[in-house]
């Protein structure tokens, strides 16, 4: 059986509670069980409570706000990735290889990436934009803004294609097999 509760225990519980300490912290400080601290707190006039719902609610709101800010930062980073990949599609590109029995290194600069590499860059940009919009969807004028951004992106890509190939990507090329 534990030692009886005395006035010193009651005073210590009141003082530590006033400091904002938790029930378990108080129990450790006065070397009593948490249930004994609860009994002492309940017997006080007025009874002391260890209800931390308001603190938990505030902490939860702060945590959610922090996570929202991190998602917004990550969304910006993903937009940067998309822009970088789209920009690389028309820049000179270095190709290299190791090979042969002597393990020789060869490299070659091309005016722009191969179609396969451009397709990979476009897929990377698309995936980055998709994830970015899922992390931080536009809030105001959602449809109009999204359409205008995607529309400008598509117009720019079509213009670039036409400059490089002399026609728009959807124009017939004249050699239908059909």
């Amino acid at each position: 059986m534990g030692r009886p509760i005395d006035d010193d225990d009651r005073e210590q519980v009141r003082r530590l509670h006033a400091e904002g300490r938790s029930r378990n912290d108080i129990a450790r400080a006065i070397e009593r069980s948490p249930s004994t601290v609860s009994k002492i707190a309940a017997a006080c006039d007025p009874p002391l409570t260890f209800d931390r719902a308001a603190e938990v609610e505030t902490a939860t709101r702060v945590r959610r706000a922090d996570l929202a800010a991190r998602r917004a930062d990550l969304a910006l980073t993903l937009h940067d990735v998309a822009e970088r990949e789209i920009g690389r599609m028309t820049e000179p590109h270095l190709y290299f290889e190791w090979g042969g029995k002597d393990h020789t290194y060869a490299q070659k600069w091309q005016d722009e990436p191969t179609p396969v590499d451009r397709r990979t860059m476009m897929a990377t940009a698309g995936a980055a934009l998709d994830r970015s919009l899922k992390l931080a969807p536009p809030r105001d004028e959602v449809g109009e803004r999204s359409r205008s951004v995607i529309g400008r992106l598509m117009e720019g890509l079509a213009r670039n294609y036409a400059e490089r190939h002399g026609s728009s990507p959807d124009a017939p090329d004249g050699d239908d097999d059909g």
Side-chain angles (χ1 to χ4, degrees):
M1 179 146 171
R3 71 177 198 259
I5 296 171
D6 59 23
D7 289 338
D8 187 48
D9 292 330
R10 290 183 190 89
E11 182 54 38
Q12 286 183 40
V13 168
R14 280 191 201 95
R15 182 177 51 78
L16 294 171
H17 182 271
E19 291 176 8
R21 306 263 302 259
S22 72
R23 182 190 70 164
N24 291 345
D25 284 344
I26 294 171
R28 280 188 290 275
I30 67 171
E31 297 179 353
R32 300 300 294 252
S33 72
S35 63
T36 300
V37 172
S38 292
K39 287 176 192 173
I40 295 169
C44 289
D45 187 27
L48 306 176
T49 64
F50 295 99
D51 182 20
R52 297 181 57 209
E55 293 174 36
V56 170
E57 184 180 338
T58 301
T60 300
R61 272 198 309 273
V62 168
R63 176 78 173 139
R64 285 182 181 150
D66 289 346
L67 288 173
R70 290 175 66 190
R71 280 192 306 274
D73 289 344
L74 186 55
L76 289 173
T77 300
L78 288 167
H79 265 74
D80 292 343
V81 167
E83 288 174 356
R84 183 189 72 229
E85 289 300 309
I86 290 170
R88 289 180 55 210
M89 292 176 65
T90 57
E91 294 177 351
H93 197 78
L94 174 65
Y95 288 92
F96 62 92
E97 64 181 26
W98 289 94
K101 65 179 181 178
D102 297 327
H103 299 289
T104 57
Y105 172 79
Q107 70 180 30
K108 176 184 176 185
W109 279 95
Q110 285 192 198
D111 291 337
E112 61 184 28
T114 64
V116 170
D117 287 342
R118 281 196 307 271
R119 185 171 38 248
T120 301
M121 291 170 191
M122 181 54 82
T124 301
L129 285 173
D130 181 56
R131 298 308 186 278
S132 171
L133 291 172
K134 285 181 181 178
L135 285 170
R139 290 202 174 127
D140 47 347
E141 303 172 313
V142 175
E144 189 60 37
R145 277 192 173 172
S146 296
R147 281 190 291 277
S148 66
V149 168
I150 293 170
R152 285 195 308 268
L153 178 63
M154 294 306 292
E155 288 169 6
L157 291 171
R159 237 186 345 269
N160 180 274
Y161 185 94
E163 289 170 5
R164 288 186 289 118
H165 300 284
S167 65
S168 66
D170 55 344
D173 60 2
D175 61 319
D176 285 338
D177 293 338

